[in-house]
């Protein structure tokens, strides 16, 4: 139970509300990234205990930060976002808000913000909690767009937004040949042309150049019929008689990419480039293959080479931006998207990608503008509606965010992320009935998602539907029998129903899977008060 000995009546209500918000976010979300929590001095120890109880990381480390410690930069860089480790950073200083402009103090908080902003990819394995006085955090939130109030005294730094997915709908690699002619043909007309070409190629007295041109055309027709093996065979026949056909080597690589044979595709592109070093299509296509192999720096270099020979190619600038995002170079990615938009200002995909990069940097209003530009060009872009909702939520514009999630699911009714995000927001607003319904819709989209079932259980328990919450946890355990959180939550529900034997059995299962975390949770869990004096409960805590 919360130790309220040193809190007055007004503080007691506020602190309980803060703990409820913290618990809800830690239980309902796999990761929360970075939370800034306003704590009075007497609240700090209890807040640390609550975080340790509900955080899902393997380990929780506690550090103290002070602006005048000479090594605070090293501490921030070394201690934040370790593998499977959450960090609680206590910023100790009296009356910080009044002296925030003090250079040491400002540098400390700037250093913390910057460390968080460049650590997005590690949020899936660790959380960060910064405890400071409430006045300071209110001052910070007025200065930082990406510091969003969740509840009184708790702010979320939104350098990594929930469920933001980069748009990787990169255009097909570029074929060499009369592509528009093939696109215009029907499938029947393509087959007629295949038969015609085969008849011509069967004539013995055809010169090599004619054979190679027709062979290339035949391969391209097979390609547009999604017959990639036949296309490769056609390109290979061309290369048997004309090994220096850079067009055939390039198109062979494109077909190999569609078969996900990326290393072989790169070999084909390299052969084309050895023959024609200024062949921008081959450089571009090689960049796509390298990106698929997650060799992002090499992909960027290929796109750079392509741009040396053709500077006004929208798709090259766009895909270069995607690769730059993958390695965390968001400013450079935005510059690349801006170049792409110079040549195709109405390209929804590029506006969307730019919005993702801006959001990663915490430029929420600019990201919102980019998503809205994408939607002006393509108003059924469900990812843009979903991400727009995330941005609006973090700007505190909750009703607009809900409307945006609604538009996302109108465009794509089985959009799990939008339904789940809607549930998260409704939970933040205390609208638990609607939260539960949103998670229900999310589960229809992904019924085999164990974390979604756990979220559903937490929402149902908040509504007092304990029996149904137990059913949700059971479903989660069918999908993931070794999930300690599901077993623990189930134990709490059984205890609330005075089903003490079942509660102890579930608690034992949870402890066997994650002894330290579950034992720490159970020691001060109000839902388990009814069994805390049971000898079996005490024995489980000593295991």
């Amino acid at each position: 139970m919360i130790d309220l000995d040193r809190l007055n009546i007004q503080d007691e209500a506020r602190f309980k509300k803060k703990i409820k918000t913290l618990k809800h976010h830690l239980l309902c979300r796999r990761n929360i990234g970075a939370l800034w929590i306003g704590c009075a001095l007497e609240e700090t120890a209890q807040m640390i205990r609550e975080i340790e109880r509900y955080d899902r990381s393997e380990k929780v480390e506690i550090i103290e930060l002070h602006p005048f410690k000479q090594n605070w930069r090293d501490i921030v860089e070394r201690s934040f976002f370790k593998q499977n480790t959450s960090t609680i950073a206590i910023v100790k200083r009296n009356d910080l808000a009044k002296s925030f402009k003090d250079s040491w103090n400002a540098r400390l908080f700037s250093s913390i913000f910057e460390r968080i902003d460049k650590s997005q990819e590690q949020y899936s394995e660790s959380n960060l909690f910064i405890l400071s006085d409430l006045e300071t955090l209110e001052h910070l939130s007025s200065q930082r767009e990406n510091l969003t109030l969740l509840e009184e005294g708790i702010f979320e730094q939104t350098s990594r937004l929930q469920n933001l997915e980069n748009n990787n709908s990169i255009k097909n690699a570029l074929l060499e040949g009369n592509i528009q002619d093939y696109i215009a043909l029907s499938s029947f007309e393509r087959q007629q042309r295949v038969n015609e070409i085969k008849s011509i190629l069967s004539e013995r007295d055809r010169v090599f150049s004619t054979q190679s041109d027709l062979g290339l055309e035949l391969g391209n027709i097979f390609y547009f019929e999604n017959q990639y093996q036949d296309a490769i065979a056609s390109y290979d026949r061309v290369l048997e008689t004309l090994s220096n056909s850079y067009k055939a080597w390039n198109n062979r690589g494109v077909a190999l990419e569609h078969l996900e044979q990326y290393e072989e595709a790169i070999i084909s592109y390299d052969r084309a480039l050895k023959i024609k070093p200024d062949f921008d299509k081959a450089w571009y296509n090689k960049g796509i293959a390298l990106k698929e192999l997650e060799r992002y720096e090499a992909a960027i270099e290929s796109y750079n080479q392509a741009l040396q020979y053709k500077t006004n190619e929208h798709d090259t600038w766009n895909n270069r931006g995607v690769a730059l995002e993958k390695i965390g170079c968001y400013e450079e990615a935005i510059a690349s998207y801006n170049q792409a938009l110079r040549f195709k200002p109405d390209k929804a995909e590029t506006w969307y990608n730019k919005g993702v990069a801006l959001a990663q940097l915490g430029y929420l209003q600019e990201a919102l503008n980019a998503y809205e530009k994408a939607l002006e060009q393509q108003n059924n872009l469900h990812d843009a509606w979903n991400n727009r909702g995330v941005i609006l939520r973090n700007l505190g514009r909750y009703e607009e965010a809900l409307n945006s999630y609604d538009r996302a699911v109108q465009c794509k009714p089985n959009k799990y992320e939008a339904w789940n995000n809607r549930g998260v927001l409704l939970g933040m607003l205390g609208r638990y009935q609607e939260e539960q319904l949103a998670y229900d819709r999310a589960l229809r989209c992904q019924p085999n998602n164990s974390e979604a079932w756990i979220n559903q259980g937490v929402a149902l328990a908040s509504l007092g539907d304990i029996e149904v919450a137990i059913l949700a946890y059971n479903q989660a355990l069918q999908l993931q029998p070794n999930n300690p959180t599901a077993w623990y939550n189930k134990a709490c529900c059984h205890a609330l129903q005075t089903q003490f034997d079942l509660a102890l059995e579930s608690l034992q299962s949870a402890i066997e899977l994650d002894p330290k975390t579950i034992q720490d949770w159970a020691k001060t869990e109000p839902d388990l008060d009814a069994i805390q004096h049971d000898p079996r409960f005490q024995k489980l805590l000593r295991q």
Side-chain angles (χ1 to χ4, degrees):
M1 300 295 289
I2 297 170
D3 181 5
L4 299 168
D5 290 345
R6 300 185 60 185
L7 304 179
N8 60 39
I9 299 300
Q10 182 180 357
D11 287 337
E12 176 181 340
R14 178 182 55 78
F15 190 66
K16 282 184 175 180
K17 190 174 183 182
K18 190 186 305 180
I19 292 298
K20 183 178 179 181
T21 299
L22 177 67
K23 177 180 177 180
H24 182 82
H25 279 270
L26 287 171
L27 288 179
C28 285
R29 291 164 64 177
R30 177 183 291 275
N31 61 290
I32 57 170
L35 285 187
W36 296 68
I37 304 173
C39 282
L41 186 60
E42 63 268 26
E43 295 175 347
T44 303
Q46 182 60 37
M47 184 62 70
I48 291 171
R49 286 195 291 272
E50 295 295 323
I51 292 170
E52 288 176 329
R53 286 172 60 203
Y54 295 109
D55 182 73
R56 300 184 189 184
S57 303
E58 293 179 5
K59 182 180 179 184
V60 176
E61 287 188 353
I62 302 171
I63 62 172
E64 291 186 6
L65 292 172
H66 194 290
F68 297 110
K69 281 189 176 180
Q70 291 185 348
N71 64 339
W72 56 262
R73 276 199 182 89
D74 291 337
I75 294 173
V76 168
E77 193 67 25
R78 190 173 60 247
S79 301
F80 289 6
F81 302 112
K82 294 181 181 177
Q83 183 85 2
N84 297 317
T85 301
S86 288
T87 305
I88 303 174
I90 307 166
V91 182
K92 287 192 171 181
R93 186 173 179 183
N94 292 328
D95 208 13
L96 284 174
K98 293 181 181 177
S99 60
F100 183 77
K101 292 183 180 178
D102 172 275
S103 60
W104 284 97
N105 195 27
R107 288 176 193 172
L108 169 59
F109 282 97
S110 293
S111 180
I112 294 173
F113 268 92
E114 290 166 6
R115 180 70 178 98
I116 294 168
D117 281 342
K118 69 180 181 181
S119 302
Q120 294 92 347
E121 294 304 318
Q122 299 176 14
Y123 276 12
S124 60
E125 299 172 346
S126 61
N127 290 316
L128 173 64
F129 308 87
I130 303 100
L131 310 186
S132 185
D133 66 283
L134 183 57
E135 269 191 288
T136 298
L137 297 191
E138 288 175 342
H139 180 83
L140 283 171
S141 68
S142 69
Q143 303 296 315
R144 296 272 181 169
E145 278 192 341
N146 60 331
L147 197 60
T148 303
L149 179 66
L150 297 181
E151 187 56 80
E152 182 178 2
I154 300 183
F155 301 79
E156 182 180 19
Q157 185 168 341
T158 57
S159 57
R160 184 180 191 266
L161 300 179
Q162 283 274 308
N163 299 312
L164 271 180
E165 298 176 357
N166 204 337
N167 186 348
N168 290 326
S169 57
I170 298 172
K171 273 198 165 184
N172 288 337
L174 299 176
L175 287 174
E176 185 66 23
N178 297 323
I179 307 305
Q180 294 302 320
D181 291 345
Y182 310 134
I183 294 173
L185 295 176
S186 68
S187 184
F188 176 75
E189 290 170 329
R190 287 175 190 159
Q191 187 57 52
Q192 282 186 317
R193 182 57 178 159
V194 167
N195 295 335
E196 182 182 344
I197 292 171
K198 285 182 177 179
S199 176
I200 295 172
L201 289 173
S202 67
E203 300 175 14
R204 294 186 177 183
D205 57 350
R206 289 288 168 183
V207 297
F208 284 162
S209 60
T210 302
Q211 287 182 331
S212 63
D213 289 344
L214 290 171
L216 190 68
E217 183 180 353
L218 183 63
N220 291 351
I221 293 173
F222 282 133
Y223 172 87
F224 279 98
E225 286 294 298
N226 301 322
Q227 299 174 28
Y228 302 119
Q229 292 287 8
D230 290 336
I232 292 167
S234 293
Y235 300 138
D236 284 343
R237 283 192 291 272
V238 172
L239 293 166
E240 286 173 5
T241 57
L242 195 65
S243 61
N244 66 343
S245 172
Y246 64 89
K247 296 178 181 180
W249 282 115
N250 176 76
N251 292 9
R252 183 177 185 273
V254 174
L256 286 164
E257 279 199 53
H258 278 274
L259 295 173
E260 299 183 357
Q261 298 177 29
Y262 301 115
E263 293 286 3
E264 292 184 55
I266 290 170
I267 293 171
S268 281
Y269 297 138
D270 284 341
R271 291 293 299 270
L273 290 165
K274 186 175 181 180
I275 299 163
K276 185 175 175 57
D278 62 348
F279 189 21
D280 62 282
K281 289 182 181 179
W283 282 115
Y284 170 82
N285 293 340
K286 183 180 177 181
I288 293 176
L290 288 164
K291 177 263 170 191
E292 293 297 329
L293 293 170
E294 299 182 359
R295 292 161 58 183
Y296 301 118
E297 290 87 351
I300 293 164
E301 181 55 34
S302 281
Y303 293 137
N304 288 342
Q305 290 286 345
L307 290 166
Q308 281 189 18
Y309 303 113
K310 191 172 182 181
T311 60
N312 63 344
E313 182 55 53
H314 164 274
D315 291 325
T316 309
W317 284 111
N318 179 74
N319 291 3
R320 179 177 179 271
V322 172
L324 285 163
E325 277 197 60
K326 290 291 186 181
I327 60 173
C329 297
Y330 301 113
E331 294 283 3
E332 293 178 60
I334 291 166
S336 203
Y337 295 139
N338 286 338
Q339 286 282 25
L341 291 166
R342 284 180 57 200
F343 305 113
K344 284 191 179 180
D346 59 349
K347 193 69 173 177
E349 175 187 342
T350 306
W351 281 112
Y352 173 87
N353 288 343
K354 183 179 177 181
V356 173
L358 287 163
Q360 295 286 17
L361 290 172
Y363 301 142
L364 301 189
Q365 186 58 54
E366 292 88 342
L368 179 62
N369 295 340
Y371 290 137
E372 290 180 345
K373 290 288 288 187
L375 291 166
E376 285 177 13
Q377 310 304 325
Q378 187 178 338
N379 67 2
N380 63 344
L381 197 60
H382 56 83
D383 281 328
W385 283 114
N386 178 63
N387 291 4
R388 179 178 180 272
V390 175
I391 296 293
L392 288 165
R393 187 204 79 181
N394 289 299
L395 289 172
R397 295 159 61 177
Y398 299 134
E399 289 301 325
E400 291 177 79
L402 287 172
N403 290 335
S404 204
Y405 295 140
D406 288 343
R407 289 298 300 271
V409 297
Q410 285 175 14
C411 299
K412 187 177 181 181
N414 63 342
K415 180 71 175 174
Y416 169 83
E417 295 83 2
W419 285 115
N420 187 70
N421 285 348
R422 196 174 194 278
V424 170
L425 176 53
L426 290 165
M428 288 171 54
L429 298 173
R431 292 159 61 175
Y432 300 120
Q433 184 69 51
E434 294 172 83
E435 175 193 22
Q436 185 269 319
L437 292 173
Y439 288 139
D440 185 62
R441 291 300 301 268
L443 283 165
R444 294 187 203 177
C445 305
Q446 292 189 13
N448 295 325
N449 188 320
S450 61
E451 290 294 332
W453 281 107
I454 292 173
N455 285 356
Q456 176 78 301
V458 173
L460 288 163
S462 297
L463 289 167
D465 295 337
I466 304 301
E467 289 185 11
V468 185
I470 291 172
L471 293 176
Y473 296 135
N474 285 339
Q475 187 65 38
L477 290 166
Q478 284 186 20
L479 297 166
Q480 193 180 4
N482 295 329
N483 189 308
T485 303
W487 282 112
Y488 178 79
N489 290 356
K490 186 180 174 184
C492 291
C493 287
H494 282 309
L496 291 171
Q497 288 193 313
T498 68
Q499 297 171 337
F500 300 140
D501 290 342
L502 292 174
L504 289 163
E505 289 173 12
S506 293
L507 184 61
Q508 181 174 350
S509 296
I511 289 173
E512 287 171 355
L513 293 167
D514 189 354
K516 182 182 182 302
T517 300
I518 301 302
Q519 286 171 337
D520 287 346
W521 288 3
K523 286 174 185 176
T524 55
E525 175 59 66
D527 292 345
L528 299 177
D529 282 350
I531 60 172
Q532 283 189 355
H533 299 295
D534 189 307
R536 294 171 293 175
F537 177 83
Q538 296 299 325
K539 183 179 179 181
L540 286 172
L541 295 191
R542 292 194 297 269
Q543 285 183 0

